[in-house]
């Protein structure tokens, strides 16, 4: 268990947080989850505003809960505010991160979707859509790598050591991926199975 953080954030820090999430919104090809590796670098490694455990919990809770996956950003803002010492700061953190991640991408997506629909038969538009697919997949894989390789390992531990030390988690992730890919079993059943295995201490 990581010790809780005690932050002293001023207005410059909050503006820095807003500005960075505005920038990440412009990079969020494939959704906000594709920028989580950059969020990790900014929040955990550079500023130390979140612990690794809080970062992982934000993504895991948002992915498991019903509703939009972008809610993990709200959870990160909540944790930053709670680390700053109050519920009011946590609510303000939610506001800052959600406004930052949603505003530019929403405006651009709306404008681009209207233009793309009008010009959907153009060769350049079709090529752009096909070319973006591997980029989105690579961003998602980088997120999975950061989360999986950091579980239970210290900041200085090599990634290979983290992988070997947590082989049950890697095995569970690979098996789950194969089941989802090759069967029609609902994801919620796999989440429930993972919860049971975790409660039993098997992963």
């Amino acid at each position: 268990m990581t010790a809780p953080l005690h932050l002293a954030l001023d207005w410059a820090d909050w503006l820095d947080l807003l500005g960075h999430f505005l920038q990440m919104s412009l990079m969020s090809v494939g959704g906000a989850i594709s920028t989580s590796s950059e969020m990790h670098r900014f929040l955990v490694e550079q500023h130390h505003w979140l612990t690794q455990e809080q970062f992982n919990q934000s993504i895991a809770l948002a992915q498991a809960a019903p509703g939009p996956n972008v809610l993990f950003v709200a959870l990160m803002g909540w944790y930053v505010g709670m680390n700053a010492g109050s519920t009011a700061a946590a609510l303000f953190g939610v506001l800052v991160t959600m406004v930052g991640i949603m505003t530019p991408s929403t405006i651009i997506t709306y404008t681009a979707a209207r233009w793309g629909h009008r010009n959907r038969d153009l060769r350049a538009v079709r090529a752009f859509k096909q070319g973006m697919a591997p980029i989105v997949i690579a961003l998602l894989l980088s997120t999975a790598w950061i989360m999986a390789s950091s579980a239970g390992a210290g900041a200085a531990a090599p990634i290979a050591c983290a992988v070997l030390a947590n082989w049950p988690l890697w095995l569970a992730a690979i098996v789950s991926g194969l089941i989802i890919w090759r069967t029609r079993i609902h994801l919620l059943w796999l989440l429930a199975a993972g919860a049971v295995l975790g409660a039993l201490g098997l992963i």
Side-chain angles (χ1 to χ4, degrees):
M1 178 74 74
T2 307
L5 300 175
H6 301 284
L7 306 177
L9 301 180
D10 57 23
W11 285 107
D13 293 321
W14 289 111
L15 286 174
D16 188 23
L17 181 65
L18 174 63
H20 203 78
F21 272 78
L22 287 168
Q23 293 175 36
M24 283 189 286
S25 180
L26 298 175
M27 296 166 34
S28 58
V29 178
I33 192 69
S34 64
T35 62
S36 54
S37 57
E38 172 60 18
M39 292 178 193
H40 181 273
R41 185 198 66 78
F42 180 77
L43 293 170
V44 179
E45 297 176 5
Q46 181 177 336
H47 289 289
H48 308 289
W49 288 344
L50 291 183
T51 65
Q52 181 65 53
E53 184 179 39
Q54 289 171 334
F55 181 86
N56 287 355
Q57 287 175 355
S58 297
I59 295 180
L61 286 172
Q63 295 296 315
N69 289 341
V70 75
L71 292 178
F72 81 91
V73 175
L75 286 171
M76 288 183 186
W78 175 268
Y79 277 130
V80 169
M82 289 304 290
N83 289 339
S86 71
T87 304
L91 292 171
F92 187 65
V94 170
L95 177 67
V96 167
T97 53
M98 289 303 289
V99 167
I101 203 69
M102 293 296 294
T103 304
S105 59
T106 300
I107 294 170
I108 291 172
T109 299
Y110 177 74
T111 305
R114 292 186 63 189
W115 183 88
H117 183 71
R118 288 196 305 268
N119 299 282
R120 59 187 177 276
D121 295 326
L122 291 179
R123 182 177 181 182
V125 173
R126 296 198 312 270
F128 176 80
K129 290 179 180 178
Q130 291 178 352
M132 291 307 294
I135 294 174
V136 172
I137 292 170
L139 289 170
L140 292 175
L141 288 175
S142 69
T143 299
W145 182 260
I146 286 173
M147 291 185 66
S149 62
S150 64
I159 290 177
C161 294
V163 172
L164 292 174
N166 295 286
W167 67 267
L169 292 175
W170 283 92
L171 181 61
I174 292 169
V175 170
S176 298
L178 290 173
I179 291 173
I180 292 170
W181 177 39
R182 302 300 294 178
T183 71
R184 293 175 177 264
I185 296 176
H186 198 280
L187 178 60
L188 290 177
W189 288 110
L190 293 177
L191 289 172
V196 170
L197 291 174
L200 296 174
L202 298 178
I203 59 172

